[in-house]
Amino acid sequence: MIKKNVLPKTFLWGGATAANQYEGAWNLDGKKASTADMMTGGTHIIPRRITKKLEQGTYYPSHEAVDFYHHYEEDIRLFAEMGFKCFRMSIAWSRIFPNADDKTPNEEGLKFYDKVFAELKKYNIEPIVTISHYEAPFALTEKYNGWASREAIDFYVNYCEAIFTRYRNLVKYWITFNEINSLLVPAGAYLEGALLVDDSGLFNNTNVDSTQIRLQALHHQFVASAKAVQLGHEINPDFKIGCMINYSCGYASTCKPEDMVIALRQDQINNMLCGDVQVLGEYPAFAKRQFEEKNIKINMAEGDEEILKKGCVDFYTFSYYKSHVVGTRPEGDETQGNVFGGFKNPYLKANDWGWQIDPVGLRYVLNHVYDRYRIPIMIVENGLGAVDVVETDGTINDDYRINFIKDHIEQMKEAVYDGVDLIGYTAWGCIDLVSASTGEMKKRYGFIYVDKDNDGKGTLKRSKKKSFYWYKKVIESNGEELS
Ligand code: BG6
């Protein structure tokens, strides 16, 4: 029986990271460059560049990141001190298959994650592993045009086989691709699809619009994900394998019926298309019309439909940071967001990067998704990117972050009371790490501060922010104590 303000005892509280933003050691122990390793630093104003060759004297934030590679024991100890029940991390594909098409995995790379999983086990922290989080071996881009190539499916499945087999008794929860729906927009082409697309959305220095290629690449990822689900269940029937959607919540700008239809279409395309394929095992009817109108033709190999049908995920996960407005352009200008943007909502405030803060939207999204899929849900990213100030006594008083997360947890609890089967919450960037969109360090999300600046300078020393002690209390009380 679900009660107000009470979460299930098994609720998975924790934090989330991604190898390319956290791990560093980009070329150690057999690892080669990943797609992320070719991205320069940037800012809110100056976008990150993708370089096809590494440039001397250019700063690449992922190369060292915040060096989890050499700090994993310390970091996991700190997570345990906060009481984490789970920890979302990703495996760097380029650490295991440095050239994408290697015949055998890199043993040194596998050993690193043996150590990480052993350390997590020591503290009873359940790993939640993203198999590809905005990262692929750069060789996949160079030699195969990334996910545009169907061969990427086999490389990915080989990679899955290697890690599923090696960690079959250490990892139960897997996520096939981070924010798979990013491939719907040019901004996600490289991040998610390892595809080279220029600013005007053209593919790899040709005059070809990337939409067709991105959607074909997305299809390849759907097939790869479905194959991974089947393979994972064969290797260990207890595996729980999930999808991950960047949930772009867009409200209709007015109550004009046409605006409502625009909001509906946007929700279908941006959010539901990928969820439907991965959870329900088939392309939804609305996609067919959308593809027809945009002249998109997905090239399906024989058997693909069956593979999708047989590879439905066990649980649904998503990231949630913000919402926006769509439809008749309202007063005010455009708002920013991770991957998907829209117009400003006059009822909401924004963070320093222009992402509008909307805790109530989280309750809406949770209900909406659960109504459609009826499978367990996990919020695997949520948090506030903010500039933190270290006071002269060394403290970091991040009340703004506490308030943000508190407001979202309150709404999450409302959704559970509404009947949503929510099994976990992992706060994004539980320890400060490199921002995916800007490459900055000053856009911090962590409960743990890391001494490093935007130019890569700093001691990498870890220290606890005020939110560290607050989140510890939240977990201890299973979300009842939020003040
Ligand atoms: C999500 C990504 O879109 O947003 C993360 O999965 C990313 O990798 C997070 O870091 C926050 O975005 P940003 O740009 O502030 O790092």
Side-chain angles (χ1 to χ4, degrees):
M1 172 66 175
I2 305 156
K3 291 203 197 119
K4 192 168 166 62
N5 203 26
V6 177
L7 290 169
K9 286 206 171 62
T10 50
F11 194 78
L12 291 167
W13 291 99
T17 59
N20 82 84
Q21 292 164 259
Y22 183 34
E23 226 171 60
W26 75 283
N27 61 354
L28 289 192
D29 301 328
K31 183 181 177 300
K32 288 196 179 162
S34 71
T35 44
D37 294 328
M38 308 304 279
M39 293 180 77
T40 68
T43 66
H44 191 189
I45 318 286
I46 308 166
R48 304 182 75 177
R49 280 184 307 118
I50 299 158
T51 61
K52 291 189 196 157
K53 293 264 173 280
L54 289 177
E55 298 167 356
Q56 273 224 318
T58 295
Y59 173 55
Y60 292 93
S62 66
H63 287 194
E64 182 188 53
V66 292
D67 200 22
F68 176 61
Y69 200 77
H70 297 107
H71 290 77
Y72 68 92
E73 286 162 300
E74 178 185 358
D75 290 358
I76 292 172
R77 190 168 63 243
L78 286 165
F79 300 152
E81 191 182 327
M82 265 187 284
F84 278 21
K85 310 277 181 232
C86 72
F87 173 54
R88 177 177 175 229
M89 53 176 273
S90 72
I91 292 182
W93 182 355
S94 53
R95 204 177 282 294
I96 311 299
F97 286 91
N99 303 294
D101 54 7
D102 311 74
K103 293 283 169 274
T104 51
N106 170 31
E107 179 59 27
E108 287 306 302
L110 289 168
K111 275 190 188 149
F112 170 63
Y113 298 104
D114 285 338
K115 291 188 283 184
V116 170
F117 295 137
E119 201 63 21
L120 288 169
K121 207 176 167 65
K122 189 162 121 188
Y123 298 104
N124 271 328
I125 299 176
E126 184 84 56
I128 296 168
V129 176
T130 315
I131 298 168
S132 175
H133 187 132
Y134 284 175
E135 189 264 356
F138 186 63
L140 188 69
T141 302
E142 262 186 324
K143 292 197 257 171
Y144 298 94
N145 268 333
W147 279 95
S149 158
R150 201 173 162 98
E151 285 167 284
I153 299 174
D154 290 341
F155 303 147
Y156 176 89
V157 174
N158 282 346
Y159 162 49
C160 288
E161 187 173 4
I163 57 176
F164 285 164
T165 311
R166 178 80 164 218
Y167 309 123
R168 67 190 296 272
N169 298 319
L170 293 168
V171 178
K172 173 175 170 192
Y173 292 97
W174 300 90
I175 292 170
T176 54
F177 289 95
N178 181 63
E179 296 188 341
I180 194 166
N181 54 332
S182 308
L183 260 171
L184 294 166
V185 290
Y190 183 72
L191 280 179
E192 177 59 29
L195 301 170
L196 289 171
V197 167
D198 66 24
D199 291 346
S200 45
L202 298 178
F203 181 61
N204 207 1
N205 291 330
T206 63
N207 58 0
V208 179
D209 175 85
S210 66
T211 314
Q212 166 70 41
I213 293 155
R214 280 186 282 107
L215 288 165
Q216 186 63 47
L218 180 60
H219 178 71
H220 293 153
Q221 292 199 344
F222 286 151
V223 173
S225 170
K227 284 186 156 198
V229 171
Q230 281 192 69
L231 176 72
H233 288 154
E234 277 161 27
I235 292 175
N236 184 345
D238 291 337
F239 276 178
K240 298 284 175 216
I241 308 176
C243 61
M244 199 292 205
I245 308 292
N246 172 336
Y247 208 98
S248 133
C249 179
Y251 300 119
S253 57
T254 72
C255 47
K256 200 165 126 198
E258 284 80 358
D259 282 340
M260 197 57 201
V261 173
I262 293 174
L264 169 76
R265 289 298 285 169
Q266 202 228 38
D267 186 38
Q268 288 177 325
I269 303 299
N270 289 355
N271 306 313
M272 296 305 178
L273 191 155
C274 295
D276 283 8
V277 177
Q278 294 189 284
V279 179
L280 307 176
E282 61 186 17
Y283 279 87
F286 60 75
K288 292 188 182 124
R289 172 174 180 172
Q290 174 79 358
F291 293 168
E292 230 167 75
E293 287 178 353
K294 297 232 155 56
N295 217 5
I296 304 288
K297 171 97 188 58
I298 305 293
N299 193 3
M300 294 226 191
E302 216 190 305
D304 278 4
E305 280 176 327
E306 209 189 323
I307 293 171
L308 296 181
K309 221 30 217 183
K310 286 190 175 153
C312 298
V313 293
D314 303 308
F315 67 113
Y316 178 103
T317 81
F318 68 102
S319 58
Y320 180 87
Y321 293 91
K322 47 148 286 270
S323 66
H324 57 255
V325 163
V326 296
T328 313
R329 192 177 180 138
E331 285 303 306
D333 50 0
E334 290 181 2
T335 169
Q336 305 298 312
N338 52 339
V339 183
F340 300 97
F343 298 124
K344 273 190 187 153
N345 184 333
Y347 298 102
L348 301 176
K349 294 203 174 78
N351 73 7
D352 292 345
W353 281 261
W355 299 15
Q356 289 205 289
I357 300 168
D358 180 13
V360 176
L362 179 60
R363 176 180 178 184
Y364 172 84
V365 170
L366 282 165
N367 273 277
H368 186 48
V369 169
Y370 190 62
D371 282 350
R372 192 173 183 94
Y373 300 130
R374 298 286 164 135
I375 60 172
I377 302 181
M378 206 184 279
I379 302 163
V380 292
E381 285 189 33
N382 172 241
L384 179 73
V387 178
D388 290 330
V389 177
V390 185
E391 307 293 347
T392 41
D393 63 358
T395 58
I396 299 143
N397 298 304
D398 55 343
D399 292 290
Y400 36 88
R401 183 167 295 109
I402 293 174
N403 291 334
F404 179 102
I405 298 182
K406 170 179 171 286
D407 293 348
H408 284 78
I409 292 177
E410 269 166 5
Q411 293 302 319
M412 172 183 109
K413 291 201 300 189
E414 290 293 334
V416 171
Y417 191 35
D418 292 334
V420 174
D421 182 9
L422 183 71
I423 57 172
Y425 173 91
T426 60
W428 174 250
C430 45
I431 175 165
D432 292 346
L433 37 67
V434 174
S435 155
S437 56
T438 67
E440 292 169 294
M441 268 309 298
K442 76 168 190 190
K443 189 180 188 190
R444 296 172 184 276
Y445 288 87
F447 303 122
I448 301 165
Y449 186 88
V450 179
D451 177 34
K452 183 166 180 178
D453 67 16
N454 274 359
D455 304 318
K457 298 197 187 74
T459 60
L460 294 175
K461 182 174 170 295
R462 276 68 170 148
S463 39
K464 300 170 194 170
K465 303 182 193 176
K466 186 173 175 185
S467 56
F468 180 100
Y469 303 100
W470 172 81
Y471 197 49
K472 183 173 161 43
K473 254 191 346 196
V474 171
I475 299 178
E476 250 164 30
S477 65
N478 202 21
E480 282 185 37
E481 182 52 66
L482 293 178
S483 55

